[in-house]
Amino acid sequence: QVQVVESGGGLVQPGGSLRLSCDVSGTFFTAWDMAWYRQAPGKQRELVAFIETDVITNYTNAVKGRFTISRPGGGNTVYLQMTSLRPDDTAVYYCNAGILVRELDPRRDFWGQGTQVTVSS
C-alpha cells in the first residue's frame, strides 16, 4: 500500500512564503516522478510543478520564478517552496506521485489528501 501525505499549508499574507512537504511511504519499487497540483474553488485541478528523479523539473507559467520544486537525492520526499505569494495562489494543493509498485508494473498515480494554502491580508 502506498501513502502520500502533504503538510505545510496555511494562511499567509500576499508577498509571503510557504514550504509544502510531501512524503510517499509504503511498499513499492520506485517513485518515478512527483508533482504538485492545485485546485481553487470553482476551478479545475491544475499542474503547478513536476519533478522527475531530482533534476528534471517543469512549472506552469503562473509560478515560474516564484515556486521551486525539489526532491533531495531523488528520494520519496518532495518540497514546494513558494515565494512572492499572491491571492490567486489560494487553493488546495495536492501531491501526486507516479509509482511503479513492482519493477515491471505500469506507472500508477497516487494522490495525497491535499493541504489548504490561503493568501490573504
Side-chain angles (χ1 to χ4, degrees):
Q1 189 172 355
V2 178
Q3 290 187 317
V4 180
V5 180
E6 306 103 332
S7 61
L11 173 64
V12 63
Q13 292 188 342
S17 299
L18 276 178
R19 189 177 81 155
L20 305 182
S21 300
C22 172
D23 291 304
V24 182
S25 61
T27 303
F28 54 92
F29 176 70
T30 191
W32 188 256
D33 53 76
M34 301 179 80
W36 289 96
Y37 286 72
R38 66 185 180 186
Q39 188 167 18
K43 294 188 176 181
Q44 289 189 329
R45 191 174 297 189
E46 64 172 352
L47 176 66
V48 175
F50 169 91
I51 187 165
E52 183 176 325
T53 61
D54 62 348
V55 293
I56 301 172
T57 61
N58 193 26
Y59 299 89
T60 189
N61 286 338
V63 308
K64 283 181 180 177
R66 301 189 298 123
F67 291 11
T68 303
I69 190 170
S70 61
R71 184 183 176 189
N76 297 331
T77 298
V78 65
Y79 301 99
L80 186 67
Q81 180 68 48
M82 304 185 292
T83 64
S84 301
L85 282 160
R86 309 185 306 218
D88 61 359
D89 293 316
T90 296
V92 178
Y93 284 70
Y94 296 91
C95 180
N96 169 271
I99 299 291
L100 276 60
V101 177
R102 293 173 294 188
E103 184 175 3
L104 299 181
D105 281 355
R107 178 190 175 282
R108 287 179 56 189
D109 283 299
F110 289 84
W111 294 89
Q113 79 288 351
T115 185
Q116 177 70 46
V117 172
T118 302
V119 184
S120 175
S121 56

